[in-house]
Every structure is written in structure tokens, then in C-alpha cells.
Amino acid sequence: MARASDISAKLNRGILNKHNAAGNSFRIAVVVLTILLLLGIVGFIIRLQDGVSDKAVWGYYAALFAFILTTAQAAPMVAIAPRIAKAHWRRPISRSAELFSVVGLFNIILFIPIIWVLPSLEDGRRSLWFFSDLNVPAHLPHILATLALIFLVLSGLALLWVSSLPDLSILRDTSTGQRHRIFTILANGWHGTSAQWNMQDHRMGILGAFYFMMLVFTHFLISIDFAMALVPGWIDALFPATQAHNALQGGVATVLVTMFILRRFGGYGDYISLDQFWGLGKLLFALSLLWFWFWFSSFIVLWYGDKPAEQAVLELLMFGPYRPIFIVAFLLCFVVPLFSMIWNPLRKSIWGPTIIAIGVLVGILFERIRIYTSAYSVADFEAKHHLNVGDIPPAIMPTTADVLIW
């Protein structure tokens, strides 16, 4: 028992020293990222000058919001799902995955202009909510999507706080002054009793399940009202589930890249080992195979339906102006993981899963650009089936404001 406590105390001291000591690399990273944030604010101001009446100019902005929702906000699932499955290899990376819950606060800010850009149901836009028949509020999609995103962020922050109670108690016991008072409040009386550990285990199970449900529900609302409903003739019952699956794939890829950065540049090589890369690499391989299944299940219905409106949707999303983007996404999200991660030496390594994860993130980026910029480029959504192969809008190219914001 004494030996176990000594090992635990040594681990605590080592990680605590890393927490309190910020090196030059950290300071340089903060400066660089601050400059990029300021450039993004400049781009956002430029974009605001275009107003919200023309939704086509907001396509790349909406794609950025969806990309963050699909990657960073899905990263906590890497801590939730293996915990439910009792996978002990996830322990060194759970906190880094849960910390991505904080990104949701930033994404809520990004979401505000998208609400104003989305036309209300009174403008004749299609919706899941049967506006004309049930007399629901014209801005019901805006309200529901906002509430879903807020509850997703709140559940993620609650999960992070409950999970971090032992860490906060250590910071409480090793700090003084104002920091001590702050960590005393955040630690919420944690002293590591058996009752507190049992409480934490049960609360994290409940919060994890709730976060997963809200992640799926949020993707359900965003994918329907902020993408599919803007394109006449686009009817795909599997599309919301596809977006939720893409989030799981993006979350795993995000944490894989984060693990590599922490191991290579953060000094956590003694804590993050090959087991974590191997475990997440297998998950990424399985999710990449599912990517093809979800895509093909939707594609085959539109392809064999062969109605003019369905042909126009395929032309807009895959075979027309956005074909190069679709090919890149198809290769990086499915083909490359399939033909590379079938090899055990590559999958059971540190560099292999990391490189594949970077490719998957790039593929998801292109996939979100393909979906949202094409949907936002459709001008007339009042006519139910006005699209045909002859009036497909051209691809929207990014402007200076889009580049700065991204």
C-alpha cells in the first residue's frame, strides 16, 4: 500500500510540475495562436459588412462551425465510450479528450451569425417542422438548434468538471492565495473518500450518456435545417445519422493528433504510450469503414431513384462543381485509412495512426465545405423541385474574409 501511494504521489508531482511550468514552446504557441485569433476577428468584421441577406457568402463560415462541431466537440466521446467499455488504456488520454468540451463555448459564439443567416419558415424554406400545417413558430428551427447546442456545451462542461475534481483538489492543496480560494470552490469539498469516488463514477456515466445523446441530437438539427433543407429535392433520412457518425470519426482523429502533440512536444511521453495509439487506431479504422457504409446507403437511394430533383442533388454535391472536393474527402476519409490501416505494423505504431488521423481531419474539412457551401449557394429554395442539372450554381470560392476566419 505504501509503495502504491508513493507511486501515486510521484505521478502527481510530475504532472503538477508540468502544469505549473510553462516553457518557451508554450509561450510561442500562445503568441502565434493569439495572432491567428486576431486575424480571424478581422475576417469576421469584413464578413459582417456583407450583411446576412445573402446566405451564399456565409457558406464557408457555416462549414467552419460544422467542422468544429464534428471534430473538437466530438472529441470528449473518446473519453466517454472507452470508459463505458471499461477500456483502461484510455486513462492517460481521457482528460485531454474531455478538455475539448471548452471549445463548445467558442462554437456557440460562431453559431450566432448563422442563426441570423438561416431564413425563417415564413420565407418558404422547407423544414422538418411542418410550419404551414401545424402553425409552429416561424423561428422554431433556430430556437431548437440553439437550445441543443447550449445543452451540449453545458453537459460537456459538467462532465469535465466532475472528472477533474481529484485534479482540482490537488491544485487546491498545493496553491496559496487567490488561486487556493478559486480551486477550493472548484474542488467542491473533494477529499477522495470512497463515497466521493462512487459518486463521481455514477455522475460521469450519466453525464457521458447525456453528452452522447445531445451530440447526436445537435447534429440531427444542424444537418437538417442548416444544410439539407436549403436544397430543394434533397431528401435523405440517413443524412443526420451520417453527420453524427462523422463526428465520432472526427473526434477520434482529433484526439489522436492531440496525443501525438502532447507526447512529442508536451513532455508526456512517459504517460502516453503505444497502447493509446493502437487502441484509437483500431477505432479510427472501424469508423472509416462505416464512413463508406453511411455514404453509400444515401448515395444508392438517390442514384437509383433517378428523379430529376435527385439527379440535381447528386450533381450539386458530388458530380458537378464540388466534384474535386468530394474526391479528396472520399479518399482521405475512407480509401486511405482502408488501404493503410489494414497493416498491423502501421496501425500498431505512433506515427501511422497520427498521419492517417491528420488526413481524416483534412477530409472532414473538405466534406463540410462541400456540404455547406453548396447548400448555401442555392438561391431559390421556395420552389420544391426547381433544381435541375442545367441550373446548378457554380462552386463558391473562398474570399479573403473566409481565409482569415478559417
Side-chain angles (χ1 to χ4, degrees):
M1 180 65 69
R3 183 179 180 182
S5 62
D6 293 340
I7 294 175
S8 177
K10 183 179 179 180
L11 289 173
N12 288 339
R13 286 195 302 269
I15 298 178
L16 188 62
N17 291 335
K18 292 182 180 297
H19 171 81
N20 293 327
N24 291 329
S25 299
F26 177 79
R27 296 186 181 93
I28 293 174
V30 170
V31 171
V32 172
L33 294 176
T34 301
I35 294 174
L36 292 176
L37 175 63
L38 295 176
L39 291 176
I41 295 174
V42 172
F44 179 72
I45 295 174
I46 297 174
R47 174 58 66 236
L48 282 179
Q49 295 176 354
D50 297 323
V52 296
S53 58
D54 183 10
K55 68 179 189 304
V57 300
W58 290 89
Y60 281 93
Y61 185 93
L64 172 61
F65 163 79
F67 176 72
I68 295 176
L69 180 66
T70 307
T71 54
Q73 287 195 258
M77 287 303 305
V78 175
I80 295 170
R83 179 183 290 117
I84 296 175
K86 306 297 183 182
H88 296 292
W89 57 263
R90 54 88 193 165
R91 293 183 181 276
I93 61 173
S94 290
R95 187 72 74 253
S96 59
E98 292 161 348
L99 278 169
F100 277 99
S101 302
V102 181
V103 180
L105 294 172
F106 178 72
N107 218 21
I108 287 180
I109 299 174
L110 288 181
F111 184 61
I112 295 174
I114 302 177
I115 302 175
W116 292 100
V117 174
L118 182 70
S120 70
L121 301 183
E122 291 178 337
D123 297 326
R125 181 176 61 85
R126 293 188 308 140
S127 176
L128 182 68
W129 309 108
F130 306 102
F131 169 74
S132 59
D133 297 330
L134 301 180
N135 291 323
V136 299
H139 293 283
L140 180 64
H142 307 68
I143 297 172
L144 290 178
T146 302
L147 290 176
L149 185 61
I150 291 174
F151 280 113
L152 174 67
V153 174
L154 290 178
S155 60
L157 294 176
L159 176 70
L160 174 62
W161 175 62
V162 173
S163 176
S164 302
L165 285 175
D167 303 346
L168 295 170
S169 69
I170 295 176
L171 294 173
R172 174 199 61 198
D173 298 335
T174 56
S175 60
T176 58
Q178 185 65 26
R179 283 168 54 87
H180 175 75
R181 288 190 289 270
I182 294 175
F183 289 126
T184 298
I185 296 173
L186 293 177
N188 195 33
W190 179 273
H191 294 286
T193 64
S194 297
Q196 288 177 330
W197 282 110
N198 290 331
M199 177 277 296
Q200 186 199 43
D201 184 63
H202 288 96
R203 298 299 183 273
M204 289 178 65
I206 295 172
L207 290 170
F210 189 72
Y211 189 88
F212 174 66
M213 291 187 296
M214 290 308 303
L215 181 69
V216 174
F217 185 58
T218 303
H219 275 279
F220 171 78
L221 295 176
I222 295 297
S223 62
I224 289 179
D225 283 308
F226 292 81
M228 188 164 59
L230 300 178
V231 181
W234 188 5
I235 301 174
D236 183 0
L238 197 60
F239 182 67
T242 302
Q243 298 301 289
H245 159 267
N246 293 165
L248 298 179
Q249 184 186 27
V252 170
T254 300
V255 176
L256 265 169
V257 177
T258 304
M259 283 165 38
F260 180 82
I261 294 174
L262 290 175
R263 176 183 169 86
R264 179 66 177 82
F265 304 102
Y268 288 93
D270 293 335
Y271 308 97
I272 301 175
S273 63
L274 179 62
D275 290 340
Q276 286 72 47
F277 288 91
W278 191 19
L280 281 189
K282 289 184 285 187
L283 281 177
L284 185 63
F285 178 58
L287 291 169
S288 298
L289 295 180
L290 277 176
W291 188 95
F292 177 81
W293 184 90
F294 276 100
W295 168 80
F296 187 76
S297 297
S298 295
F299 167 77
I300 202 68
V301 173
L302 296 174
W303 177 265
Y304 276 103
D306 206 26
K307 295 179 180 178
E310 294 171 332
Q311 292 181 17
V313 170
L314 291 178
E315 182 70 16
L316 173 67
L317 297 176
M318 300 180 192
F319 304 137
Y322 294 94
R323 179 171 57 184
I325 294 180
F326 167 70
I327 292 175
V328 172
F330 186 86
L331 291 175
L332 294 179
C333 290
F334 168 65
V335 176
V336 173
L338 171 64
F339 289 101
S340 58
M341 300 194 74
I342 58 176
W343 304 102
N344 279 330
L346 188 146
R347 188 171 67 249
K348 192 178 180 180
S349 66
I350 292 176
W351 279 96
T354 302
I355 295 175
I356 301 303
I358 293 174
V360 168
L361 290 176
V362 174
I364 293 176
L365 184 151
F366 277 85
E367 181 75 356
R368 292 301 168 266
I369 291 176
R370 175 182 73 92
I371 291 173
Y372 285 87
T373 56
S374 62
Y376 276 64
S377 68
V378 178
D380 183 13
F381 49 79
E382 296 183 12
K384 187 175 183 181
H385 297 299
H386 87 278
L387 279 179
N388 58 62
V389 177
D391 61 13
I392 300 297
I396 298 178
M397 301 303 295
T399 63
T400 302
D402 295 321
V403 174
L404 291 175
I405 292 172
W406 272 83

